[in-house]
Amino acid sequence: MIRTTVLLSSALAALSIVSSAARAQDAHAVFGAEPRVERLSNGLTVISVHTESPGIVAYYTLVRVGSRDEVEPGHSGFAHLFEHMMFRGTDAVPAARYEELLQSFGADNNAYTSQDFTLYTVTTPSASLPQVIELEADRFQHLSYTEEVFRTETGAVHGEYDTQRSSPMLPMWEALSEIAFSRHTYGHTTLGYLRDIEAMPERYDYSRRFFTRFYTPDDCTIIAAGDVDHAALMAAVRERYGSWRGRRDRPRVPVEPEPTAGARRHIAWQAPAQPRMFVGWRVPGFVSGRSARERRAALRTTAALQVVHGLAFSEPSPLYQHMVVDQHRALELGSWSNELSLDPSLFVAHVVLADNETFDPAIAEIQGAIDELASGVDAERLDAVKSHARYALLMELQTPSDVADLIARFVAVGSSLDVLYEYLEELRAVTVEDVSRVARELLNDRRRFVVTLSRGADPSADGPPTPSAEDPS
Amino acid sequence: MRRALTLGCAALVLGSCGGSQSGPREYPRMTEDGQGQSRDAAPLPREALADAPRLVTEPSASSIVTLRVAFDAGSASDPAGREGITMVTARTMAEGGAGELSFAELSRRLYPMAGTISAQVSRDETVFIGQVHADHLDAFYELFRDVLTRPRLSEEDFERVRDQVMNELAVDLRSSNDEALGKEALELALYEGHPYGHPAEGTVAGLRRLRIDDVRAHRDQELCAGRATIGIAGSVPEGFAQRMERDLSRLSSGACVGRQALPAPPSHEGPRVFLVHKPDAQAVAVSMGFAYDVRRDHPDYPAMVLAAAWLGQHRQFIGRLMQAIRGERGLNYGDYAYAEEFTQEGWSRFPVTNDARRQQHFSIWLRPLRPETAHFAIRLAVRELDRLVREGLTREQLDHVRTFLTQYYALYTQTASRRLGYAMDDAFYASSPAYVERLRAGWAELTPESLHEAIRRHLDPSRLTIAIVASDANELADAIASDAASPITYATTVSAEVTAEDREIVGYPLHIPRERIRIVPVSQLFER
């Protein structure tokens, strides 16, 4: 509770730093128009942005609940399960009718869940927007389903887990989360453990409580992008959501201590597989700090880390060129850039090695590339990465859905849309020193967590695989 | 212009362009035993080459420019014994050096623009896709052009790409992605002995046999101006299209030949099962379908798209299969049907464009099932298909699907890049008016009777091939062959309607005797 209040107040304080002119300029550069933001008295936030997309609108509902909120043991994957339940209807509009109506509009209707948020994504011809608003308002306030329906839907969640069971990436993510987080809920994946998924059918009552705890107006943001009229949108939203009441529950998410030593775990895979690994470093959350100054410093850190993704792991990077192109020692090398998180999380690189390659030299080489950044960066390369980031962002935004999704991702971890402009400002301002600092202070072996996978035992290991960190559930 | 001419001449030295001067190239003789499978005794005729590339434009004010150059050559053009060569050739071009630049240098030039150059290879098409912000079009275009007209095709780039493709085929597809494996298994079964009968990545034996000279010769023969369609979308300066046409027109060689005709897809009597035995599979992947003669230029294509959507529009809840298997029973994550080959674009719900084919198939995809429910779910899907063919749709059902599709397909063409892709597909099939417009007009004309007639003309469950990836292959094969009951239990009580329906499904006969069930170990899949 306290933590979020702090975040919110520092967000408000930071607002004054970004001048409105600069914000408008950034907004136009990114979206082609300045988004409009309003908040209803019940806490529901509405963001709209008109983009060139005749006849089509993305109507997204962001709920700031994700696997981060799964603090109770044995409940991993529950935020995701609940995302499924949101399609199971209300007394006024049963599930079949809800689908039938959305289908009659020709809407694309889906949702996804992450560590920090759940996003409901309707993209529809704009003529149907008033009806979509009515339907969405109804299900967010009056969701209703029986235990039988709940149990059936848990089968679909199990089925979703089954879609990924043949991939070595699933156990690798599970292992990386476990060894990097001994207390925090980032220690389990958003999909959840299989054992918890298998126990889901028995958790009907918990699911009902989940709805009242987290699906509240102060926890939600509506984002409408595309062919949308802000005034008409607001009138409809006020009418349909105005009487919605509720305050979000604030589960006590355990604080993860700063790492003092990294960890490593090997997965002996039964099926044929190239040797592959995740190398993750613990890094701060997207927004942290109490004062505006601290908050800006945190955004600068995130921006500098984003630059490191490009400098160290992009195709033109010396590491990629050496390991993949020149020496053919790796078949794939990359990193998960653009991953923003509320709490301290991981900066993750992934590598697929060629046959007969071992892990230790590859880890050393990756760490070596980071250490090199710690000792200095060529200014021209830094400019190239910044230019890439700018144009990649512009090219990412081609449809109303792209725009709504980007806004949702920033609002989810940054409290308000202004954080996007602040972040872009910090990205432009990243210096060689910033890059060196984050490489030195954050991307070092004391904060490094490695998961390796190959067919059979770890060829690099002298003894048995590293024991696992404390199982979070 | 001068620069372009100079570059064009330089390319001659590399042996990658230059009309009759470079002379026809031939594939080097195979040096290993086992010359690959011979598909046909008599060679099939080749089409005539066009005089120049076709041009398709999709003008828009968008500041994101998309360039697509599609060649009428895909993995079906792989010569027997060198399966995978088209994929390796295209990717060595897109992911290698070009002109004076090594791959490293080219990557460094592209990076600040966030420009992308990629190659997509399907059965009948290879498309190079370039995308860049209009701010950088000039600098980007020079790189894109060189990738197409002056690729280095160096030994180093080739070896790296071939190893990556080999890994994608022999490791990733075989062991790490059962959903994709099931779909490829279906195509393998449908098109055995046919040029479509191997994945675009090729075969293990074909890839092993490849040499850089093969790749260079293959490019000269297949990826040339007479088989190209140029596509441009977004805001480009005046004269840009003509410049691109001029540059690409130089992409010719005496070795260039027209596309070879396809044989008919293999036929078979009665439904059958192609079972991939994968000992470590934790779930069961299922794809089923049959080859048929409905392509986008067929008058019944809109009816088939509607029939497929009735069964299951990709990643939407509208379909009967989705409702019955996931919604009512919770047996898996999703169940869909397709009127033509469908490859999802990125994380979207829509198919990639520039994946046109001369022959098509109708298919149903059941996402992974728990082993104890697989036989039941297959029965359910076949029963739904049978019902569709037997009964067609009521007026109300038809209207519901038609209303959905008529609006929903607006989302298929949201970006200039996708509109361009569909316009190029229309050029491939020589069909007009534009794709979505044509579909809507076709749907508008349908009556329950005309739809039912079209369904009965084209959807024939007796020709069904069911591809399955499972760990207990023998057990499943015996169960299917015996048509033994496949009882089902749920984590909860289900409705009376579902219970009543289940009574029919658990014993629904598939009529597939053991001799029409083939079990193939996963280790042998894609081997040769």
Side-chain angles (χ1 to χ4, degrees):
Chain A
M1 179 78 103
I2 292 168
R3 179 173 165 69
T4 311
T5 312
V6 169
L7 287 181
L8 199 64
S9 57
S10 55
L12 292 172
L15 270 179
S16 58
I17 295 175
V18 184
S19 75
S20 58
R23 191 171 60 224
Q25 201 177 357
D26 264 339
H28 276 274
V30 176
F31 301 117
E34 190 171 5
R36 308 269 303 267
V37 183
E38 285 195 54
R39 180 171 292 179
L40 270 55
S41 58
N42 61 8
L44 178 68
T45 305
V46 183
I47 301 174
S48 81
V49 56
H50 190 278
T51 64
E52 263 314 302
S53 186
I56 292 173
V57 62
Y59 185 83
Y60 282 22
T61 307
L62 167 73
V63 189
R64 295 180 65 187
V65 61
S67 51
R68 174 184 181 273
D69 297 287
E70 294 159 357
V71 295
E72 294 95 339
H75 288 73
S76 71
F78 216 88
H80 170 242
L81 164 65
F82 203 81
E83 170 218 311
H84 280 240
M85 295 319 303
M86 283 296 289
F87 292 83
R88 285 306 196 158
T90 68
D91 291 340
V93 187
R97 182 67 186 148
Y98 172 81
E99 287 301 336
E100 196 176 72
L101 285 167
L102 278 164
Q103 285 155 14
S104 72
F105 311 147
D108 175 23
N109 181 26
N110 221 308
Y112 71 85
T113 308
S114 78
Q115 289 183 331
D116 297 320
F117 66 92
T118 308
L119 189 62
Y120 295 85
T121 60
V122 181
T123 303
T124 189
S126 32
S128 60
L129 184 59
Q131 291 128 296
V132 167
I133 293 172
E134 188 180 345
L135 286 170
E136 292 300 84
D138 178 51
R139 75 165 167 161
F140 274 84
Q141 295 170 74
H142 307 297
L143 182 71
S144 169
Y145 51 82
T146 63
E147 182 162 1
E148 287 72 28
V149 163
F150 173 77
R151 284 172 170 266
T152 300
E153 194 57 41
T154 62
V157 171
H158 195 302
E160 190 167 351
Y161 190 91
D162 288 337
T163 65
Q164 300 184 32
R165 285 185 88 169
S166 56
S167 168
M169 302 285 267
L170 179 60
M172 287 178 76
W173 276 121
E174 288 179 346
L176 184 67
S177 309
E178 284 175 13
I179 64 170
F181 300 94
S182 58
R183 296 186 191 170
H184 192 279
T185 39
Y186 288 169
H188 61 256
T189 63
T190 301
L191 202 47
Y193 288 108
L194 183 59
R195 57 178 177 273
D196 293 346
I197 291 171
E198 285 170 345
M200 280 174 177
E202 307 305 321
R203 306 222 190 269
Y204 172 70
D205 291 338
Y206 182 89
S207 82
R208 299 301 305 160
R209 289 198 301 278
F210 195 91
F211 182 57
T212 51
R213 287 170 65 202
F214 298 110
Y215 283 67
T216 55
D218 60 338
D219 204 27
C220 291
T221 300
I222 289 166
I223 301 152
D227 192 353
V228 57
D229 175 80
H230 183 74
L233 170 77
M234 286 312 302
V237 168
R238 280 202 184 87
E239 181 190 347
R240 300 295 176 189
Y241 294 87
S243 59
W244 190 11
R245 295 288 176 269
R247 293 294 296 274
R248 187 200 203 273
D249 187 20
R250 305 287 171 194
R252 192 175 292 274
V253 178
V255 175
E256 185 70 26
E258 279 289 288
T260 52
R264 182 167 162 179
R265 186 187 290 180
H266 181 71
I267 297 171
W269 194 239
Q270 299 307 309
Q274 295 295 128
R276 56 174 71 213
M277 62 181 177
F278 285 150
V279 182
W281 291 268
R282 270 280 303 283
V283 294
F286 180 60
V287 177
S288 56
R290 288 165 185 270
S291 68
R293 183 188 295 273
E294 286 171 341
R295 176 189 164 82
R296 275 296 182 143
L299 284 176
R300 176 71 68 92
T301 294
T302 302
L305 286 166
Q306 188 61 37
V307 168
V308 172
H309 279 289
L311 287 171
F313 299 105
S314 64
E315 234 170 44
S317 71
L319 181 68
Y320 185 95
Q321 289 297 323
H322 189 243
M323 287 186 78
V324 180
V325 179
D326 296 337
Q327 298 209 332
H328 299 195
R329 286 171 45 224
L331 297 170
E332 292 173 30
L333 170 72
S335 64
W336 298 82
S337 58
N338 294 317
E339 293 288 309
L340 310 175
S341 66
L342 209 49
D343 294 332
S345 181
L346 292 175
F347 176 115
V348 182
H350 62 97
V351 190
V352 178
L353 293 173
D355 285 333
N356 305 319
E357 288 294 324
T358 52
F359 295 114
D360 283 351
I363 295 169
E365 193 163 343
I366 289 168
Q367 189 63 57
I370 297 288
D371 294 347
E372 218 172 294
L373 297 179
S375 60
V377 183
D378 176 53
E380 200 180 323
R381 285 186 61 211
L382 176 62
D383 288 343
V385 173
K386 286 189 194 177
S387 171
H388 176 92
R390 178 173 163 234
Y391 281 103
L393 177 66
L394 295 178
M395 291 178 63
E396 188 188 324
L397 302 176
Q398 298 200 35
T399 65
S401 312
D402 298 336
V403 171
D405 190 78
L406 178 85
I407 291 174
R409 283 188 281 127
F410 274 87
V411 170
V413 297
S415 301
S416 81
L417 185 56
D418 287 296
V419 79
L420 168 63
Y421 311 127
E422 293 172 39
Y423 174 70
L424 293 177
E425 216 170 272
E426 294 303 331
L427 195 58
R428 282 194 293 271
V430 167
T431 63
V432 168
E433 291 70 33
D434 290 326
V435 171
S436 297
R437 175 179 56 81
V438 299
R440 191 175 56 248
E441 293 176 3
L442 299 174
L443 306 178
N444 55 50
D445 57 3
R446 295 184 305 285
R447 308 173 66 90
R448 193 181 69 206
F449 299 88
V450 179
V451 169
T452 57
L453 177 144
S454 63
R455 193 165 194 184
D458 180 357
S460 310
D462 295 331
T466 314
S468 66
E470 186 189 342
D471 190 328
S473 57
Chain B
M1 188 60 166
R2 172 184 280 263
R3 176 168 165 73
L5 281 172
T6 311
L7 295 178
C9 296
L12 281 179
V13 180
L14 297 169
S16 55
C17 76
S20 58
Q21 290 140 306
S22 64
R25 282 178 166 271
E26 288 183 0
Y27 293 100
R29 289 173 62 85
M30 290 182 186
T31 53
E32 299 169 33
D33 291 339
Q35 307 263 303
Q37 288 168 312
S38 169
R39 294 196 196 102
D40 295 293
L44 291 154
R46 286 188 178 272
E47 296 169 2
L49 282 171
D51 294 336
R54 284 182 290 207
L55 177 67
V56 177
T57 57
E58 182 64 37
S60 84
S62 172
S63 56
I64 296 160
V65 176
T66 303
L67 309 176
R68 292 174 182 253
V69 177
F71 295 94
D72 290 341
S75 59
S77 302
D78 295 346
R82 285 187 172 86
E83 291 83 2
I85 190 170
T86 308
M87 174 71 87
V88 172
T89 304
R91 282 186 41 187
T92 308
M93 290 167 68
E95 299 163 28
E100 283 73 33
L101 303 178
S102 67
F103 177 53
E105 289 160 341
L106 200 143
S107 306
R108 273 199 287 277
R109 298 266 183 107
L110 279 175
Y111 192 71
M113 321 173 193
T116 55
I117 297 176
S118 60
Q120 171 188 303
V121 179
S122 52
R123 294 304 199 261
D124 270 338
E125 280 202 278
T126 295
V127 58
F128 291 83
I129 306 168
Q131 217 166 40
V132 74
H133 194 278
D135 285 359
H136 298 293
L137 180 59
D138 262 352
F140 174 84
Y141 175 66
E142 290 191 4
L143 303 175
F144 184 72
R145 177 202 59 206
D146 284 358
V147 161
L148 282 157
T149 59
R150 305 172 62 213
R152 285 193 170 184
L153 294 178
S154 71
E155 185 92 41
E156 297 74 32
D157 288 336
F158 158 72
E159 281 179 8
R160 168 173 48 85
V161 169
R162 185 200 49 199
D163 290 353
Q164 287 169 337
V165 174
M166 179 74 91
N167 180 60
E168 288 160 20
L169 178 75
V171 182
D172 286 348
L173 187 54
R174 267 187 194 158
S175 46
S176 308
N177 186 350
D178 287 358
E179 293 201 319
L181 182 64
K183 291 185 198 176
E184 278 298 346
L186 176 64
E187 292 219 49
L188 229 58
L190 291 181
Y191 298 106
E192 194 174 5
H194 180 281
Y196 285 4
H198 61 270
E201 287 80 5
T203 62
V204 171
L207 289 171
R208 277 205 188 112
R209 209 175 272 126
L210 284 189
R211 301 290 176 265
I212 184 62
D213 287 343
D214 299 333
V215 165
R216 290 174 183 149
H218 191 70
R219 173 174 171 266
D220 288 350
Q221 182 175 305
E222 306 285 331
L223 304 181
C224 49
R227 289 166 77 165
T229 302
I230 299 169
I232 304 169
S235 169
V236 297
E238 209 178 313
F240 182 83
Q242 290 70 30
R243 178 184 175 194
M244 205 166 158
E245 271 185 306
R246 238 176 5 249
D247 290 340
L248 273 294
S249 295
R250 298 198 185 94
L251 197 59
S252 58
S253 144
C256 187
V257 293
R259 182 173 62 180
Q260 194 161 32
L262 286 177
S267 60
H268 60 95
E269 290 292 322
R272 59 183 180 166
V273 168
F274 184 80
L275 228 166
V276 177
H277 179 220
K278 189 180 174 209
D280 51 52
Q282 310 258 7
V284 177
V286 179
S287 283
M288 59 181 84
F290 37 77
Y292 71 167
D293 59 5
V294 180
R295 310 186 315 181
R296 286 192 197 170
D297 52 350
H298 193 289
D300 287 336
Y301 176 75
M304 291 302 103
V305 172
L306 192 140
W310 161 256
L311 286 173
Q313 175 70 30
H314 183 71
R315 299 196 61 200
Q316 296 295 333
F317 284 84
I318 191 169
R320 180 63 204 130
L321 294 171
M322 183 73 157
Q323 290 162 16
I325 299 176
R326 171 173 163 173
E328 293 163 6
R329 294 174 175 82
L331 298 184
N332 71 352
Y333 183 52
D335 309 276
Y336 323 109
Y338 308 94
E340 62 182 10
E341 149 63 18
F342 186 103
T343 300
Q344 180 177 291
E345 185 174 72
W347 294 100
S348 78
R349 258 78 74 187
F350 311 109
V352 297
T353 61
N354 299 102
D355 182 18
R357 289 187 178 206
R358 287 173 287 169
Q359 292 176 357
Q360 283 290 0
H361 55 272
F362 186 95
S363 65
I364 288 172
W365 178 34
L366 311 184
R367 302 193 76 164
L369 294 146
R370 292 184 285 290
E372 66 274 16
T373 65
H375 189 189
F376 176 89
I378 291 167
R379 280 182 147 141
L380 189 158
V382 172
R383 180 171 169 272
E384 288 295 339
L385 178 65
D386 288 343
R387 253 170 59 167
L388 174 67
V389 174
R390 196 174 57 243
E391 299 169 12
L393 302 190
T394 64
R395 162 70 64 182
E396 194 185 354
Q397 290 166 338
L398 165 61
D399 284 345
H400 180 64
V401 185
R402 172 164 45 203
T403 305
F404 167 70
L405 291 176
T406 301
Q407 299 286 349
Y408 182 69
Y409 264 65
L411 305 181
Y412 271 54
T413 50
Q414 281 190 80
T415 63
S417 174
R418 289 187 58 80
R419 288 194 292 278
L420 173 66
Y422 279 112
M424 293 171 77
D425 287 352
D426 287 342
F428 181 100
Y429 292 114
S431 52
S432 65
Y435 178 61
V436 174
E437 203 181 319
R438 208 165 63 243
L439 277 172
R440 285 174 173 156
W443 292 327
E445 284 175 7
L446 285 175
T447 63
E449 295 73 31
S450 67
L451 173 65
H452 197 194
E453 281 163 22
I455 288 170
R456 281 191 302 205
R457 267 197 297 278
H458 302 294
L459 304 188
D460 180 1
S462 76
R463 295 172 50 232
L464 201 59
T465 296
I466 305 173
I468 305 170
V469 180
S471 59
D472 297 327
N474 279 308
E475 203 178 304
L476 187 55
D478 290 344
I480 291 171
S482 68
D483 262 334
S486 47
I488 188 85
T489 54
Y490 302 104
T492 185
T493 49
V494 290
S495 70
E497 292 80 16
V498 168
T499 306
E501 205 174 27
D502 281 1
R503 271 188 225 110
E504 284 183 36
I505 297 167
V506 293
Y508 194 77
L510 296 173
H511 301 301
I512 307 175
R514 191 65 179 79
E515 59 269 23
R516 289 209 302 267
I517 301 177
R518 192 164 139 208
I519 301 179
V520 180
V522 69
S523 57
Q524 286 179 18
L525 229 50
F526 320 127
E527 197 57 25
R528 56 181 60 247

